[in-house]
C-alpha cells in the first residue's frame, strides 16, 4: 500500500520535526536524533512535577500531540510500534525533572515496562525523585495475566497533568493516576488492520468481519465476528464494558483508531449514547483520533467513573490542539421548521392500479442500487444508486399519504416528496420534472405531453441537452417514443443510455468534472436508471 512517506528510517524524525515546526514555539526536542527522540515543553522550568509518557510511534497524536501546559511535560518516541530505548527515556527524565520529581505514565507492554522501568531506576541513582504508573485498561482479553494499555491512558495524562500544573506534589499526582487507572476500562473493534510504513499489510480480517479487542499495534483481538453495522458493533463492545462498569455516572472517551471517517465516528457516538450504557454516560471526550493505530479503520471506547474533582480536572482547558475537551451529554434540541417550508399535505386517495405501478417502479430502482453505484463510481462519487433507491424507499413509505386516484395531484405530490427526501442535483431536477409535469396535466395535457413538459422544464433549469451525457439522453427519446408503445419507449431509452458510453465528454452533471478517459465506455448511471425502468415496465 502506497503511503506519503520518504524513507521508513526517517518517518518518525520527520514527523516530529513537522509537528515542532508548526507548534508556534510551544515544543522543543532534545538534540539526540536519530536514536533519542524526546519532545518537551518549551516553557518548562522544572518547578512542578514533570509528567512523562511515550512509547512506540504510530499512535499520533499520542504522545507528542499531548505535550503542553496541563498535560505531558515530555514525550519519548520510539520507532513505529517499538518502545524507546532506556537511554531515550532517561534523557527525557533528566531533561525535565526538578526537585518536585517526575511521574512516568507507561502503557502495559513488555518493552515499555522494561525500558521505562530501568530508566526510572537509573534516574533514581542520580538522586531524582521518580515514580511510575502502568496503565492496563484493555478488557478485551480477560485471560491475559496483564491487560494492555490503550486509549484510557489519556484519562491518566489529563488528570495527572492538570494536578501537576496546579502544583500538587508527586505523591498526590501518583495516587490520583493510580486511582484513574483502577477505574478505567477500554475495548476496541476494527474492520481492518493497519499499514505499518515499509511493511506489507497483514490481510487478517476478512471482508464482512470485524475484529473485537485488537491492540493498538495491530495485535489480534479476542475474536472475529460478523459485521452487521455500527449499532451492532457498538452493542458488542458495550456488552463487555457494561459487565465491568458501576452504575454511577461515567465519562466516555470515543477514540478513532486512525482510519475511520468523521461521519462514521459520529454515527458510532450516536449509537453509543443510545446503547444500554447510554444513561450512565454524562460526559464525553471525542469522538476524535487520540491514540491511533496508524490508519486502522476502527474505534475504541474507554469509560471512567470520574468524581466531581476528577471531572473538573478533565475539563480544565489546555492549549493543546489534539485534545478535544470534555462535552456534557445533553438531550437533542429540535427546532420547528420555519414558516413557508412546512409542506402542504395532499388529500390522500387510493387506486390499486396506480399503487402497484408506483411500487413496481420504485422496486426497480431499489434493486438496481448497487449496479448504479458501481457505474457512478466510474464517473462520479458512487452514490447515484443509493440516492435513487433512497428516494424510492421514501415514496413507498409515503404511499398511503399520496393522492393515488388523482394523477395530476400525484405528480405534484411526488415532486414535493422528492424535494424533501432526495438530495443532490438529481433530487432537485426530478422534483422540478414531476412538479412541472403535474402543472402540465392540470392544464389539460395528456400524460405523455405532461411528462414532456416536465422534461422541458427540467432541461431549462438544469441546462442538460441530448449528448451532454445525463439521464436526458435516455429520458428524452423514451418520452418521444412513448406515443408509439411502451416497448418502443424502452428500446429508445436503452439506445440513448448506451449512447452515453460513447461520449467521452460530459457537459452537465457531476461527470462534467471528470477526466474524459475515466468516462470512456461507461454508461451514465442516470441514463441507465431510466433505461432499466422503461425496460421493466415494457416486460
Amino acid at each position: 500500500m502506497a503511503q506519503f512517506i520518504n524513507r521508513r528510517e526517517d518517518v518518525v524524525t520527520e514527523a516530529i520535526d513537522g509537528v515542532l515546526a508548526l507548534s508556534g514555539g510551544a515544543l522543543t526536542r532534545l538534540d539526540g536524533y536519530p536514536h533519542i527522540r524526546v519532545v518537551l515543553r518549551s516553557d518548562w522550568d522544572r518547578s512542578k512535577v514533570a509528567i512523562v509518557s511515550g512509547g512506540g510511534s504510530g499512535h499520533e497524536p499520542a504522545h507528542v500531540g499531548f505535550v503542553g501546559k496541563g498535560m505531558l511535560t515530555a514525550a519519548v518516541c520510539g520507532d513505529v510500534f517499538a518502545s524507546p530505548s532506556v537511554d531515550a527515556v532517561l534523557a527525557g527524565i533528566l531533561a525535565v525533572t526538578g526537585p518536585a520529581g517526575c511521574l512516568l505514565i507507561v502503557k502495559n507492554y513488555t518493552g515499555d515496562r522494561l525500558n521505562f522501568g530501568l530508566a526510572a531506576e537509573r534516574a533514581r541513582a542520580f538522586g531524582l525523585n521518580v515514580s511510575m504508573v502502568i496503565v492496563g485498561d484493555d478488557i478485551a482479553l480477560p485471560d491475559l495475566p496483564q491487560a494492555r494499555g490503550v486509549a484510557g491512558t489519556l484519562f491518566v495524562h489529563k488528570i495527572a497533568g492538570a494536578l501537576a500544573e496546579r502544583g500538587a506534589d508527586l505523591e498526590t499526582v501518583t495516587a490520583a493516576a493510580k486511582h484513574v487507572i483502577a477505574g478505567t476500562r477500554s475495548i476496541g473493534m476494527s474492520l481492518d488492520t493497519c499499514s505499518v510504513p515499509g511493511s506489507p499489510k497483514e490481510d487478517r480480517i476478512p471482508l464482512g468481519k470485524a475484529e473485537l479487542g485488537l491492540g493498538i499495534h495491530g495485535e489480534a483481538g479476542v475474536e472475529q465476528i460478523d459485521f452487521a453495522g455500527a449499532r451492532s458493533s457498538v452493542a458488542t463492545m458495550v456488552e463487555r464494558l457494561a459487565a465491568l462498569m458501576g452504575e454511577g455516572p461515567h465519562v466516555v472517551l470515543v477514540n478513532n483508531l486512525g482510519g475511520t471517517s468523521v461521519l462514521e465516528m459520529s454515527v458510532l457516538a450516536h449509537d453509543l449514547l443510545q446503547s444500554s450504557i447510554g444513561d450512565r454516560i454524562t460526559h464525553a471526550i471525542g469522538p476524535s483520533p487520540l491514540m491511533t493505530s496508524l490508519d486502522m479503520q476502527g474505534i475504541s471506547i474507554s469509560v471512567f467513573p470520574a468524581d466531581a474533582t476528577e471531572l473538573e480536572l478533565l475539563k480544565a482547558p489546555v492549549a493543546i490542539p489534539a485534545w478535544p475537551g470534555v462535552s456534557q451529554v445533553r438531550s437533542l434540541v429540535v427546532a420547528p421548521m420555519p414558516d413557508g417550508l412546512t409542506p402542504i399535505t395532499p388529500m390522500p386517495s387510493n387506486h390499486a392500479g396506480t399503487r402497484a405501478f408506483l411500487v413496481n417502479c420504485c422496486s426497480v430502482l431499489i434493486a438496481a442500487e448497487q449496479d448504479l453505484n458501481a457505474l457512478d463510481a466510474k464517473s462520479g462519487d458512487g452514490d447515484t444508486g443509493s440516492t435513487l433507491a433512497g428516494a424510492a424507499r421514501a415514496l413507498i413509505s409515503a404511499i398511503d399519504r399520496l393522492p393515488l386516484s388523482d394523477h395530476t395531484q400525484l405528480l405534484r405530490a411526488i415532486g414535493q416528496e422528492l424535494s424533501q427526501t432526495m438530495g443532490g442535483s438529481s433530487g432537485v431536477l426530478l422534483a422540478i420534472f414531476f412538479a412541472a409535469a403535474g402543472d402540465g396535466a392540470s392544464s389539460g395535457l395528456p400524460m405523455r405531453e405532461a411528462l414532456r413538459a416536465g422534461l422541458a422544464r427540467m432541461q431549462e433549469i438544469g441546462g442538460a441537452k441530448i449528448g451532454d451525457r445525463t439521464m436526458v439522453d435516455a429520458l428524452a427519446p423514451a418520452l418521444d417514443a412513448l406515443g408509439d408503445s411502451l416497448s418502443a419507449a424502452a428500446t429508445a431509452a436503452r439506445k440513448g443510455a448506451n449512447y452515453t458510453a460513447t461520449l467521452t465528454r460530459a457537459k452537465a452533471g457531476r461527470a462534467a468534472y471528470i477526466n474524459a478517459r475515466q468516462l470512456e465506455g461507461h454508461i451514465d448511471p442516470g441514463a441507465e436508471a431510466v433505461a432499466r425502468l422503461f425496460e421493466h415496465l415494457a416486460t
Side-chain angles (χ1 to χ4, degrees):
M1 177 180 175
Q3 294 175 299
F4 287 109
I5 65 171
N6 298 308
R7 295 196 318 149
R8 175 179 182 174
E9 295 80 6
D10 300 331
V11 64
V12 175
T13 55
E14 290 178 353
I16 290 173
D17 283 352
V19 172
L20 264 62
L22 299 175
S23 71
L27 303 179
T28 302
R29 69 170 173 87
L30 296 183
D31 185 14
Y33 278 1
H35 303 298
I36 293 177
R37 292 164 292 205
V38 177
V39 175
L40 45 132
R41 287 173 53 177
S42 299
D43 63 350
W44 186 243
D45 62 6
R46 301 194 188 199
S47 63
K48 299 173 182 175
V49 172
I51 308 295
V52 177
S53 190
S57 297
H59 305 304
E60 290 72 23
H63 301 84
V64 170
F66 298 114
V67 176
K69 184 177 181 180
M71 287 192 76
L72 299 181
T73 313
V76 189
C77 307
D79 290 327
V80 173
F81 293 170
S83 175
S85 67
V86 174
D87 281 358
V89 178
L90 181 59
I93 297 171
L94 295 176
V96 297
T97 305
C102 173
L103 172 66
L104 302 181
I105 301 174
V106 182
K107 294 182 297 302
N108 194 19
Y109 294 94
T110 301
D112 288 345
R113 288 200 318 272
L114 292 175
N115 286 293
F116 277 80
L118 182 53
E121 290 298 324
R122 290 176 60 182
R124 292 181 190 117
F126 282 107
L128 298 180
N129 189 10
V130 179
S131 64
M132 185 171 86
V133 295
I134 297 175
V135 184
D137 54 310
D138 187 10
I139 65 167
L141 301 169
D143 295 332
L144 280 183
Q146 298 187 69
R148 301 174 294 197
V150 289
T153 308
L154 273 299
F155 285 127
V156 189
H157 287 175
K158 184 64 176 67
I159 288 175
L163 276 173
E165 190 62 41
R166 295 178 182 189
D169 61 26
L170 182 59
E171 182 179 359
T172 300
V173 175
T174 302
K178 289 180 178 179
H179 183 263
V180 176
I181 291 168
T184 301
R185 303 288 183 268
S186 300
I187 192 165
M189 179 182 286
S190 184
L191 299 177
D192 200 2
T193 53
C194 56
S195 305
V196 178
S199 300
K201 184 173 181 177
E202 183 184 8
D203 191 18
R204 188 180 71 238
I205 305 175
L207 188 67
K209 293 285 187 178
E211 190 160 284
L212 177 67
L214 69 176
I216 57 172
H217 307 107
E219 313 98 310
V222 62
E223 63 177 323
Q224 290 185 359
I225 61 176
D226 291 333
F227 177 66
R231 186 173 296 111
S232 175
S233 299
V234 168
T236 300
M237 290 186 280
V238 160
E239 181 182 4
R240 270 68 170 185
L241 288 170
L244 299 172
M245 290 172 61
E247 291 301 320
H250 284 68
V251 180
V252 67
L253 186 148
V254 186
N255 176 51
N256 185 340
L257 284 168
T260 310
S261 70
V262 174
L263 185 67
E264 292 170 280
M265 291 302 299
S266 295
V267 171
L268 290 161
H270 165 270
D271 290 340
L272 174 61
L273 296 176
Q274 299 296 316
S275 72
S276 62
I277 65 170
D279 59 349
R280 283 180 261 179
I281 298 172
T282 60
H283 295 78
I285 300 167
S288 296
L290 296 164
M291 187 170 288
T292 64
S293 181
L294 294 169
D295 61 346
M296 185 180 287
Q297 189 183 358
I299 177 181
S300 68
I301 301 170
S302 304
V303 291
F304 172 59
D307 62 24
T309 300
E310 290 162 333
L311 182 59
E312 195 268 331
L313 293 168
L314 286 171
K315 288 182 176 182
V318 290
I320 296 174
W323 180 251
V326 179
S327 302
Q328 184 175 357
V329 177
R330 298 179 182 273
S331 300
L332 297 181
V333 177
V334 180
M337 289 286 285
D339 291 342
L341 286 179
T342 303
I344 300 172
T345 304
M347 183 69 68
S349 60
N350 193 26
H351 185 277
T354 302
R355 175 186 287 266
F357 176 83
L358 186 57
V359 170
N360 193 19
C361 291
C362 290
S363 299
V364 173
L365 296 176
I366 293 169
E369 179 174 2
Q370 297 305 319
D371 290 344
L372 296 178
N373 279 343
L375 270 179
D376 191 37
K378 308 292 185 182
S379 59
D381 54 2
D383 67 348
T384 291
S386 296
T387 300
L388 290 170
R393 294 186 183 99
L395 281 177
I396 290 175
S397 297
I399 200 162
D400 289 332
R401 304 195 307 268
L402 299 179
L404 298 175
S405 64
D406 185 339
H407 291 174
T408 296
Q409 294 304 317
L410 176 60
L411 290 170
R412 288 171 168 164
I414 291 174
Q416 179 174 282
E417 191 71 29
L418 294 180
S419 72
Q420 298 172 43
T421 61
M422 188 176 180
S425 57
S426 298
V428 65
L429 289 172
L430 287 175
I432 291 167
F433 170 79
F434 282 103
D439 291 343
S442 69
S443 66
L445 292 178
M447 182 56 69
R448 182 176 77 113
E449 296 308 315
L451 293 174
R452 292 178 70 182
L455 175 60
R457 182 63 174 156
M458 183 176 77
Q459 289 183 268
E460 179 185 343
I461 294 177
K465 304 181 296 294
I466 291 179
D468 285 352
R469 205 179 189 281
T470 69
M471 70 171 72
V472 171
D473 289 301
L475 185 56
L479 294 181
D480 287 342
L482 191 58
D484 298 329
S485 68
L486 196 52
S487 177
T491 300
R494 172 50 59 194
K495 183 178 178 180
N498 291 345
Y499 170 60
T500 64
T502 70
L503 299 171
T504 58
R505 177 74 178 174
K507 298 178 182 178
R510 191 182 297 272
Y513 309 113
I514 303 298
N515 187 296
R517 285 173 297 188
Q518 292 181 245
L519 302 178
E520 190 172 358
H522 302 298
I523 296 174
D524 176 77
E528 176 65 20
V530 172
R532 289 197 184 194
L533 189 58
F534 275 96
E535 286 172 341
H536 183 81
L537 295 175
T539 58

